Amino acid sequence: MDANQSTLEPPETEPTEKPAPPKRGEPRKFRANPVGSIYSQVTRQGLARYIAKLPLIDRFEAELKDLSDRDLRKYSLGLRHRAKSGESLQKLLPEAFALVRIAGARTMNMRHYEVQLIGGMIMFDGSIAEMETGEGKTLTATLPTYLYALPGKGVHVATVNDYLAARDAELMMPVYQMLGMSVGVIESQMSSEDRRKAYACDITYGTSKEFGFDFLRDRLLIRQTREQGLGVLGPLLAGKSEKNEEPVQREHYFALVDEADSVLIDDARTPLVISSIPGEAEKVAVACHQWAAQAESEFEEDEHYEYDHDKKSVELTVTGRLLVRQIPKPKLLDTVGLIDLYDYVERAIKVKRDFHSGQHYVIRDGEIVIVDESTGRIAEGRKWSYGIHQAIEAKEGVEVTVATGQAARITVQDLFLRYRHLGGMTGTASSSKGEFKKIYRLNVIKCPTNRIPQRKIWSDRVFGNSEAKWNAIVEEIREIHNQGRPVLVGTRTIEKSEHLSRLLEEVGIEHEVLNAHQVEAEAEIVSRAGQPGKVTVATNMAGRGTDIKLGEGVHQAGGLHVICTELHDSARIDRQLVGRCGRQGDPGSTRQFMALDDDCLLIGLGPKRYKKLVALGANQTGELPSYAKLFKKAQRRIENKHFGDRKVLLYHEKQRKKMHREMGQDPYLDSPD
């Protein structure tokens, strides 16, 4: 099997001789030992100003490294006093970073690399540090987090789910506690009192969803207090028994966003909404959804409705509207107007066509739970708006939860733009740097790797149809597996991960499957994925945030091999999967598989061209390498469409807020109705 190394990657061999480490405590200029060839480009990458600070950090580290734990904590408290007295954090940076570096080495035996110090400075400056997988982003985050926590105004660290928030807080807590910092975690199902305590800590870990909902609940509470006529005296008059009726959050001072592309971009199209109490029309709405779900099968495309493939919208024709009138209805629907019934039917047709179990959602404990397409994880607490969620519930025959009016709403963009200071980190941000700059005013700066990457990118393989593609994937898994190398296979949906699992079972290859059904065992499955001969099948980036460490003998065999079974809607997601191999200078390889009947071509090129490609592929037995560029073109079109959707949402949100302010209303609490 020929392997073609990407021209974008550095040379795959490390220097045979490494310089001797510096003497303990010796101040020194920047060393180029593990990453010299990369740092030679510092001027072009805009990193020179950060590298210039490294000797100063080293000098403070040398001066402070012999302090006792107690004296180190006292020194940290002294920094806090200076920060609260008005001394600039920029001036305190070298001392603060040196303290965190010492604390990391003492409590966790993990001393920050120089590239991690650079990443910390990038985030402190209000930018996004693009760091490769395995470069230690969680440890790097302690640097700007500690520095911004010094003034005592509170720091929020936003992660993609509750598990990662709790894990990162627990891992890094010893570092913060040695320096006199308190750490809290916000999780789902917490009481108001526990949330208040967590927000009162110097550093608070949580998800953007929880931070946003707490902001909305606080705003609703403040309005309620004012309407009751208590005003600022409310908390004083209420007494201890009603302390839970006080806001839980403090001011929005600094937020550090982990997996910034996932949180700030992928989640940005879904507003956070708190529903109001349902009214008398509850039973009628449920009956309408259930009736439409049953009637949907009688409507045929082109005859009864027209489907816009670009906008993914359904519109009934005149014949379709006549059919709505003719279909028998329960007596409960007698009061519902025809226009509303048309909407219910169009919605039922749309969810039948565009929302699929195992890809967009799963049914768990009798509830419809959204699957985040960009991560493959369960999106706890989220629901689709405009009646889509209820239509899916009716389609699947589970209890229909009535779509109520909104009591409060905020978008991800609005939430994070409220912070006075904002920074982030991720492994894949360069392709979206224009959007980060335009919407969040964040620069994206690529951070060098600690060691020269050894990843090999093998040539793409394109097949005429999915059957030929899956057979080739199974054969490549078998070949790599027989070499004793571990294999990680990324699929786009839960259904396809289970399909590949069945194919591997048929040929007798042992493997583990990681998708939204195994969320509790996610970290454990991923941590085993680097063992010799291990085969792991995962949806998208399930397991993102947990390092895959190579087992004994795997390094010599060639490292982890990553197989991408299908292009995703965003090239960033593909890069995230590729980034699972070749961490910290480990060897590794990756290959992309594609077929002419992949969903990417349907979504990106439209149904007419897609049908022609499917027909062409049905008659092909060999590979079709010349079509690889077509997939990239389709992917770019999808990315542009999604970017357009986010821009439209941002524009409408700005207009909505402007309208509310002109009317003297609260843009977060008052419904546009």
Side-chain angles (χ1 to χ4, degrees):
M1 185 181 297
D2 294 331
N4 299 322
Q5 186 176 4
S6 168
T7 56
L8 297 176
E9 298 289 345
E12 63 176 77
T13 56
E14 293 191 35
T16 54
E17 291 186 21
K18 294 184 179 179
K23 294 180 182 179
R24 185 175 175 83
E26 177 187 1
R28 78 272 194 251
K29 296 180 180 178
F30 167 74
R31 302 190 313 276
N33 58 322
V35 285
S37 62
I38 296 176
Y39 275 121
S40 63
Q41 306 172 27
V42 294
T43 303
R44 191 168 63 211
Q45 293 182 1
L47 300 175
R49 59 195 173 111
Y50 301 124
I51 291 175
K53 295 181 181 178
L54 293 177
L56 191 56
I57 296 172
D58 281 346
R59 194 181 75 194
F60 278 111
E61 183 186 8
E63 293 175 358
L64 301 173
K65 65 177 173 37
D66 293 327
L67 293 178
S68 66
D69 290 356
R70 184 171 179 273
D71 288 338
L72 200 68
R73 183 185 178 96
K74 285 177 64 178
Y75 195 97
S76 175
L77 294 175
L79 279 189
R80 170 173 285 193
H81 176 72
R82 290 162 60 188
K84 288 184 175 181
S85 299
E87 194 166 342
S88 75
L89 297 184
Q90 188 70 251
K91 186 177 179 181
L92 297 177
L93 186 148
E95 294 169 81
F97 277 32
L99 283 175
V100 176
R101 201 180 199 185
I102 295 168
R106 287 191 188 180
T107 60
M108 305 175 61
N109 197 29
M110 296 173 68
R111 181 175 177 269
H112 295 72
Y113 296 124
E114 289 176 331
V115 292
Q116 290 174 316
L117 296 178
I118 292 171
M121 286 185 267
I122 291 171
M123 288 183 267
F124 170 77
D125 271 356
S127 299
I128 291 177
E130 184 176 65
M131 301 177 69
E132 290 283 344
T133 300
E135 290 296 305
K137 291 188 282 290
T138 305
L139 183 64
T140 304
T142 57
L143 296 161
T145 300
Y146 168 76
L147 184 51
Y148 270 112
L150 288 174
K153 298 178 181 179
V155 168
H156 294 169
V157 182
T159 62
V160 292
N161 60 29
D162 286 347
Y163 162 74
L164 288 178
R167 186 204 68 174
D168 292 355
E170 183 180 358
L171 283 175
M172 299 298 122
M173 194 175 294
V175 177
Y176 297 126
Q177 288 181 337
M178 173 169 275
L179 301 175
M181 293 285 176
S182 55
V183 181
V185 183
I186 300 294
E187 297 179 276
S188 302
Q189 311 305 321
M190 285 179 68
S191 67
S192 295
E193 183 59 29
D194 289 337
R195 288 175 183 270
R196 193 175 296 106
K197 290 178 181 177
Y199 282 119
C201 293
D202 298 305
I203 299 158
T204 307
Y205 283 79
T207 63
S208 59
K209 173 175 68 74
E210 293 299 328
F211 291 148
F213 283 139
D214 283 336
F215 165 74
L216 294 177
R217 282 190 284 263
D218 282 353
R219 209 165 178 96
L220 284 168
L221 185 61
I222 292 170
R223 166 179 278 190
Q224 182 183 1
T225 303
R226 288 173 178 167
E227 288 177 349
Q228 290 172 347
L230 299 177
V232 294
L233 298 177
L236 298 175
L237 299 176
K240 291 184 179 179
S241 62
E242 297 185 18
K243 190 172 181 181
N244 282 339
E245 298 305 313
E246 298 175 17
V248 297
Q249 283 188 348
R250 295 191 284 168
E251 65 174 306
H252 292 85
Y253 177 59
F254 172 67
L256 180 65
V257 185
D258 189 13
E259 307 297 2
D261 54 337
S262 179
V263 174
L264 299 180
I265 292 181
D266 296 333
D267 292 345
R269 289 186 294 165
T270 307
L272 302 174
V273 178
I274 292 179
S275 299
S276 59
I277 299 172
E280 292 295 324
E282 178 179 353
K283 290 183 180 179
V284 176
V286 171
C288 286
H289 282 298
Q290 292 172 337
W291 170 80
Q294 294 171 357
E296 174 275 329
S297 59
E298 300 190 31
F299 292 79
E300 300 289 337
E301 186 176 0
D302 296 332
E303 181 182 355
H304 298 110
Y305 69 89
E306 294 177 352
Y307 182 75
D308 188 318
H309 289 268
D310 291 329
K311 298 179 180 178
K312 290 192 174 183
S313 61
V314 175
E315 184 174 356
L316 291 175
T317 62
V318 173
T319 307
R321 294 189 174 194
L322 286 173
L323 183 58
V324 170
R325 300 182 185 188
Q326 296 168 4
I327 295 176
K329 306 170 188 64
K331 192 169 182 61
L332 199 58
L333 271 62
D334 289 348
T335 59
V336 181
L338 281 173
I339 299 297
D340 292 328
L341 290 177
Y342 298 155
D343 288 340
Y344 278 108
V345 171
E346 289 172 348
R347 197 179 296 116
I349 296 171
K350 176 179 173 59
V351 301
K352 181 74 172 180
R353 295 186 60 116
D354 297 337
F355 293 84
H356 308 294
S357 179
Q359 178 178 355
H360 301 99
Y361 61 89
V362 294
I363 303 173
R364 193 174 69 179
D365 299 329
E367 294 182 3
I368 301 297
V369 185
I370 296 175
V371 174
D372 189 325
E373 288 191 76
S374 63
T375 64
R377 293 190 176 108
I378 292 291
E380 293 284 359
R382 277 172 52 186
K383 286 189 176 184
W384 284 291
S385 54
Y386 307 114
I388 294 295
H389 204 91
Q390 291 70 34
I392 294 173
E393 290 172 331
K395 180 185 82 167
E396 297 293 350
V398 301
E399 181 183 356
V400 178
T401 56
V402 176
T404 60
Q406 66 180 45
R409 69 176 266 153
I410 190 172
T411 63
V412 170
Q413 293 103 325
D414 258 343
L415 174 64
F416 286 104
L417 287 173
R418 291 184 61 84
Y419 286 87
R420 196 185 310 176
H421 305 283
L422 180 64
M425 56 185 181
T426 183
T428 49
S430 294
S431 57
S432 301
K433 60 184 179 182
E435 186 168 353
F436 280 119
K437 184 69 175 177
K438 182 178 180 64
I439 294 178
Y440 298 101
R441 302 187 292 275
L442 291 171
N443 292 315
V444 174
I445 301 178
K446 188 171 180 62
C447 193
T449 54
N450 186 52
R451 294 177 180 168
I452 297 175
Q454 304 281 337
R455 184 186 308 124
K456 296 179 180 178
I457 300 179
W458 293 355
S459 56
D460 297 341
R461 299 184 69 182
V462 182
F463 296 87
N465 55 73
S466 293
E467 183 180 359
K469 179 182 73 171
W470 288 115
N471 290 337
I473 289 171
V474 171
E475 187 57 38
E476 181 152 303
I477 292 173
R478 188 209 305 269
E479 185 174 341
I480 301 297
H481 175 69
N482 291 338
Q483 297 172 11
R485 295 177 60 189
V487 182
L488 174 65
V489 189
T491 64
R492 182 165 177 165
T493 66
I494 296 173
E495 181 184 8
K496 289 175 182 176
S497 70
E498 293 174 347
H499 172 68
L500 178 57
S501 177
R502 290 191 292 270
L503 294 178
L504 293 175
E505 286 175 0
E506 290 174 4
V507 297
I509 297 178
E510 291 187 12
H511 60 282
E512 283 193 286
V513 179
L514 174 59
N515 55 38
H517 294 309
Q518 292 87 21
V519 64
E520 293 82 4
E522 179 177 314
E524 185 180 348
I525 294 174
V526 172
S527 65
R528 295 195 296 264
Q531 298 305 306
K534 192 73 177 176
V535 177
T536 307
V537 180
T539 49
N540 284 359
M541 278 314 298
R544 186 177 178 184
T546 303
D547 284 342
I548 299 178
K549 296 183 179 179
L550 302 185
E552 186 175 350
V554 174
H555 193 282
Q556 293 77 6
L560 176 69
H561 182 60
V562 172
I563 294 177
C564 312
T565 61
E566 190 174 350
L567 284 183
H568 295 89
D569 288 352
S570 171
R572 288 184 297 100
I573 302 174
D574 296 323
R575 287 180 58 203
Q576 290 161 9
L577 182 58
V578 168
R580 304 302 289 171
C581 67
R583 59 176 294 279
Q584 280 288 341
D586 289 340
S589 57
T590 179
R591 192 195 297 277
Q592 178 75 57
F593 284 80
M594 295 167 278
L596 294 184
D597 54 1
D598 284 349
D599 292 340
C600 177
L601 296 183
L602 172 61
I603 300 169
L605 303 180
K608 290 184 180 179
R609 194 168 182 188
Y610 176 73
K611 288 178 182 177
K612 292 180 181 179
L613 290 169
V614 170
L616 172 68
N619 301 319
Q620 299 292 330
T621 55
E623 294 187 37
L624 305 167
S626 60
Y627 283 85
K629 292 182 179 179
L630 189 64
F631 285 84
K632 303 295 183 183
K633 178 182 178 182
Q635 189 179 59
R636 283 194 297 271
R637 285 190 178 182
I638 298 172
E639 288 177 326
N640 291 337
K641 181 182 182 302
H642 287 177
F643 180 40
D645 291 344
R646 291 189 290 270
K647 285 199 297 184
V648 168
L649 174 64
L650 185 63
Y651 172 78
H652 285 305
E653 285 297 314
K654 285 183 177 178
Q655 294 302 311
R656 186 181 67 84
K657 288 166 65 178
K658 180 181 178 182
M659 178 186 70
H660 281 306
R661 290 194 174 105
E662 288 175 351
M663 297 171 63
Q665 296 178 328
D666 188 320
Y668 299 109
L669 304 186
D670 292 308
S671 169
D673 298 332

